Amino acid sequence: MQHGPAVRRRKLGAELRTLRAQAGLTSGEAARLVGWHQSKVSRIETGTSGSKPADVRLLLDAYGVADPQLRELMLALAGDDTDGGRDHWWHAYRGVLPPAYRDFISLESQASAMRTLETTVVPGLLQTPEYARAVTCAAVEGLDEEQLDTLVEVRLARQDVLRAQPPLELSAVLDEAVLRREVGGPEVMARQLRRLAEASRMPQVSLQVLPFTAGAHIGVTGPFVIFSFARTSDLDVVVLDHLTSSLYLERKEDLQAYAQAFNALRAHALSPGESSDYLAAIAGDT
C-alpha cells in the first residue's frame, strides 16, 4: 500500500512487463540499465512491490517510451500525486485497517468520481458520527472502545474527499430500505436522515432514492461501487464487498456491465430533485 492499492500495482506491473518485452529486454538487462537488482524489476512486474513515480520514469526511459499519454497512464498507476491527489493519511492507521479497506480508501481518495448502489446502509461518505458508530459496532464484533473510536474516526476522515479541491463527485442510488432501517435508534436515524437531506443539496453529490414501488431491479444482487479517475478510464474499477474480503473488477466487460446497471437503476429511481424532496419529507417526519 505504500504507493497505491494492490489492484493498481498489479496493473502497473503487467503494463511495465509488456513494455519491457516490446523493448526486447530481459528483466536482468532492464535492471542493469537503471542500476537496480533484477529482483526489484521482478517484484514490480508481479505487483508484489509498489513503485514510486521516479522509478517508473526510469523504466519508461530505459524502454524508450516517449508517448506522453502512455507515460501519464503509467505514472497515474504508480500513484503520482502531481495531479492534485490527496495525502495518504490512512497510512497512520496501517496497524488497525485490513489491507482490503486500505485499498478501498486509497482508490476513494484518488478517484475523481464515485458511483454507488447502497441497499442496506447509508454510504460511508454521508454517515453521521453516531450512525457510523452504530454500523461499525454491528458489522465488526468484539471491538473495544478504543478500536471502535478509531474505526469511526477513519470513516469520518474519509468524508474529506467531498470537501477537497476538486471534490470527489458522488452519485449514489439508495434503496428505500436504507432509509427505513432504523440504525442506532430513532434519534440517531433522525439525524442521519437530516444529514442525507442536506447532502442531497450539495453540488458534488447526487442522491437518488429507489422506492419499494420500483419492485425487483438489477440491484437486488447487492451493492457495488464504481470508481472513476480524471486521467483515463483505463483506471476505472468496480468494488464488490463480501463478508471477509473485497473483489476488484477491472475488465472492460465488467466495467461496462456495472455502468449499464447503474444507469438502469438511476432510470428506475426518483430523480435527484424528487429524491431531495422525499428525503426532506422523511427527515421532517422523524
Side-chain angles (χ1 to χ4, degrees), residues 20-34:
R20 175 178 59 74
Q22 290 174 349
L25 298 170
T26 66
S27 59
E29 291 169 339
R32 284 193 293 274
L33 282 174
V34 297

Side-chain angles (χ1 to χ4, degrees), residues 1-285:
M1 284 297 298
Q2 204 64 22
H3 306 292
V7 65
R8 283 181 158 194
R9 289 202 305 267
R10 292 192 298 271
K11 187 173 181 63
L12 174 63
E15 296 290 343
L16 288 173
R17 184 168 58 251
T18 298
L19 291 172
R20 175 178 59 74
Q22 290 174 349
L25 298 170
T26 66
S27 59
E29 291 169 339
R32 284 193 293 274
L33 282 174
V34 297
W36 298 345
H37 193 280
Q38 181 180 356
S39 61
K40 180 172 180 177
V41 174
S42 297
R43 288 196 303 272
I44 290 174
E45 290 186 353
T46 57
T48 57
S49 174
S51 54
K52 298 177 182 178
D55 291 341
V56 173
R57 290 190 185 93
L58 282 176
L59 291 174
L60 294 176
D61 290 343
Y63 302 159
V65 178
D67 184 339
Q69 289 187 330
L70 181 56
R71 291 179 70 94
E72 184 179 21
L73 173 59
M74 294 298 99
L75 291 171
L77 285 170
D80 187 357
D81 289 336
T82 57
D83 63 340
R86 305 171 182 100
D87 291 336
H88 297 176
W89 57 266
W90 58 92
H91 287 174
Y93 299 93
R94 287 179 64 87
V96 179
L97 305 179
Y101 193 17
R102 297 201 305 268
D103 275 5
F104 184 89
I105 295 173
S106 178
L107 288 168
E108 184 178 73
S109 178
Q110 296 177 10
S112 61
M114 173 179 174
R115 288 166 283 175
T116 181
L117 165 68
E118 293 292 348
T119 58
T120 54
V121 296
V122 170
L125 295 183
L126 301 177
Q127 292 178 4
T128 64
E130 300 88 354
Y131 186 98
R133 191 176 189 86
V135 167
T136 303
C137 203
V140 187
E141 295 183 348
L143 293 174
D144 59 34
E145 283 300 309
E146 184 177 356
Q147 291 171 320
L148 182 56
D149 289 343
T150 299
L151 290 176
V152 172
E153 182 180 313
V154 169
R155 180 68 57 93
L156 299 180
R158 285 172 47 201
Q159 299 178 3
D160 284 345
V161 296
L162 294 176
R163 296 182 286 270
Q165 292 301 325
L168 175 77
E169 295 182 5
L170 173 63
S171 180
V173 173
L174 309 182
D175 191 280
E176 187 174 350
V178 172
L179 312 178
R180 301 298 181 182
R181 177 172 289 103
E182 192 174 280
V183 174
E187 293 184 5
V188 169
M189 198 63 200
R191 284 192 290 272
Q192 180 60 72
L193 288 170
R194 288 195 290 272
R195 165 63 178 147
L196 284 175
E198 294 167 0
S200 69
R201 295 189 288 272
M202 296 170 66
Q204 68 272 41
V205 175
S206 172
L207 292 183
Q208 290 184 251
V209 176
L210 192 61
F212 289 144
T213 53
H217 52 77
I218 196 168
V220 296
T221 55
F224 60 85
V225 174
I226 307 173
F227 285 118
S228 298
F229 298 85
R231 291 191 176 197
T232 172
S233 62
D234 286 344
L235 298 182
D236 290 3
V237 60
V238 175
V239 184
L240 307 177
D241 270 339
H242 302 290
L243 183 61
T244 58
S245 64
S246 296
L247 178 64
Y248 293 83
L249 305 178
E250 307 167 81
R251 295 190 313 159
K252 283 184 170 56
E253 306 94 292
D254 294 325
L255 290 167
Q256 183 177 17
Y258 276 90
Q260 290 175 344
F262 190 78
N263 290 337
L265 289 164
R266 291 195 66 188
H268 285 88
L270 301 178
S271 71
E274 293 170 333
S275 297
S276 183
D277 292 342
Y278 188 70
L279 288 165
I282 296 179
D285 291 338

